[in-house]
Amino acid sequence: MRIAGTVILFNPPNNILNNIESYSGSLEFLLIFDNSSNDDARKYFQNNSKFKYIWQGENKGIAERLNNAIKICEDKNIDFLLTMDQDSSFSEKSMTVYLEKIKKFESHNIGMFGVIHERKNKKPDVEWNQILITSGSIIDIDIANKVGQFDENLFIDGVDTDFCLKLLNNGYKTIIFNDILLNHSLGESLRTITPSLKKEFRSVHNSKRIYYMVRNSFYLRELHRDKIKFISWKPILNEIKNAIFYGNEKIATITAIVKAYIDFRQNKMGK
């Protein structure tokens, strides 16, 4: 079993190598796509031949970068691709256990393997056909090509949901290992005071991100009507609520929501 990895950067923190080194040792190579406007992060990866740093001076989103990684892996006869966010890492020995589990299940027609991002009580060690998030997941290169890879119309949000639904629609499976935890920090969180005067950290996204969430949700619900139960409005409505009540772009957020719907109706997708 040959496995490579990819991580997509966007204005990464200075300690980015700490996260990467928690899993790169288990990979044949790591593709580092930098969506930042500058290549300041290049210096972190110059002294390791396993790292392949790619910067093109613009934000190309998530889907296109993942498809680029799939193509490179295919050309190099790689079987599996680990996909990571810049703020995610594995604890000691987790990657070893993860790969051992994949070897046991790789003959079960599974297109995507995943792990948990927060502790869950009373969950079986393995759950089938769940919607997985990109970070910490491992995809089968051959199956990814058979189902059509990642949808570049989405650009960022919903890319993982769409891919999982493609797998299920084409007779493939997803699997999540609930006994393997990925360290995954929320990149956009704000300490807020709730109406009940409690201090809490909440996910608060800017208006541009809300735009993609709303537009892409309309798109996915139309594209996957037979799997609409997997595309809930609830988490997006919660993000909208947080942005309006706790963010500093209230008017811009409302404008973004309206624009998102209009662009969806006019089939204006992508970046």
Side-chain angles (χ1 to χ4, degrees), residues 1-22:
M1 183 177 82
R2 301 186 65 200
I3 179 168
T6 187
V7 58
I8 299 171
L9 308 183
F10 184 75
N11 300 330
N14 293 332
N15 64 346
I16 182 65
L17 269 180
N18 293 338
N19 288 337
I20 287 176
E21 288 174 349
S22 73

Side-chain angles (χ1 to χ4, degrees), residues 1-45:
M1 183 177 82
R2 301 186 65 200
I3 179 168
T6 187
V7 58
I8 299 171
L9 308 183
F10 184 75
N11 300 330
N14 293 332
N15 64 346
I16 182 65
L17 269 180
N18 293 338
N19 288 337
I20 287 176
E21 288 174 349
S22 73
Y23 54 83
S24 59
S26 300
L27 309 173
E28 296 207 11
F29 58 84
L30 178 69
L31 300 167
I32 302 158
F33 291 99
D34 194 344
N35 276 337
S36 307
S37 58
N38 59 65
D39 64 343
D40 290 349
R42 184 185 298 275
K43 60 181 177 290
Y44 300 120
F45 311 109

Side-chain angles (χ1 to χ4, degrees), residues 189-207:
S189 60
L190 183 70
R191 190 175 186 181
T192 63
I193 299 177
T194 68
S196 60
L197 302 181
K198 290 183 179 180
K199 294 181 179 179
E200 296 179 351
F201 279 97
R202 291 177 180 261
S203 170
V204 180
H205 296 287
N206 61 34
S207 58

Side-chain angles (χ1 to χ4, degrees), residues 1 34 42 54 87 92 107-108 116 161 164 185 203 210 240 258 270:
M1 183 177 82
D34 194 344
R42 184 185 298 275
I54 301 164
D87 56 3
E92 187 178 3
S107 63
H108 286 65
I116 59 171
T161 297
C164 288
S185 62
S203 170
I210 293 293
I240 291 172
V258 174

